[in-house]
Amino acid sequence: MSNVIVFGGHGKVALLTTRILSDRGHSVTSVIRDAGQSDEIRAHGGEPRVADIQQQSLTDFAELVHGHDAVVWSAGAGGGSADRTWAIDRDAAILSVQGAKQAGVDRYVMVSWSGSQLDHGVPQDNDFFAYAQSKAIADAVVRDSGLQWTIVAPSTLTDDDATGSVDWAGSSSDVPRGDVAHVIADVLETPSTAGNTIRFNSGSTPIADFLRADAV
């Protein structure tokens, strides 16, 4: 079993991922900004590590991830301030990739979104631009990192019950957070997904089958 560090540990997807990984026997360190969230992290099977990712240097990130087998970046500003979005979704994300490289942690999973690409098409005067641009830039850095990376790129997230199945076709434009968490966990246990950007939404293909097909 592996030793995984999850950034953005108190987010809904991260908590669900922590529970799944813990139930499967993996050790999970969850990075959180608020020490008051520690009990909830432990209740989901993780070990809390308090650090404000917006304030971490490259050296700090390298020290945080050192000794782990894999990094999961599930942190985000969550909308609001464009400055905070740039600081977390772009700058901190990039530093975490560089920190993993510096610390020799080869496996890296970036939680992104399905529209993340250089030609995302979001106008610069749109409030969503900072997020779209940040994710596109951070994902490009991941792909150029030389790490064993996988980008998990779901469509719009919902709190619906997980189905255990996804696709990247059809009319669905959303996906339950629980299914995203299962994709992350399965990706970590499927080395053949390295080097792939996995875009998905709700569907009818069991996640394990979808990942095998996507990684071919």
Side-chain angles (χ1 to χ4, degrees), residues 13 111-116 128 131 152-159 165-177 179-180 183 198-203 210:
V13 169
V111 182
S112 187
W113 71 293
S114 59
S116 176
F128 194 65
Y131 178 80
V152 174
S155 57
T156 302
L157 305 179
T158 75
D159 289 323
S165 298
V166 297
D167 269 316
W168 186 231
S171 60
S172 171
S173 61
D174 54 41
V175 62
R177 287 179 171 85
D179 284 329
V180 178
V183 170
I198 301 172
R199 305 182 197 277
F200 61 98
N201 49 23
S202 293
F210 180 80

Side-chain angles (χ1 to χ4, degrees), residues 28 41 58 60-61 78 84-85 103 123 142 145 176 182 212:
V28 181
I41 297 296
L58 172 57
D60 293 332
F61 273 110
R84 180 168 162 78
T85 298
V142 171
S145 66
H182 275 282
R212 278 195 293 270

Side-chain angles (χ1 to χ4, degrees), residues 54 76-91 124-135:
Q54 194 172 342
S81 164
D83 288 344
R84 180 168 162 78
T85 298
W86 292 120
I88 294 178
D89 291 278
R90 182 191 61 187
D91 299 343
Q124 194 166 356
D125 59 357
N126 188 300
D127 289 343
F128 194 65
F129 177 82
Y131 178 80
Q133 192 79 341
S134 292
K135 297 306 284 187

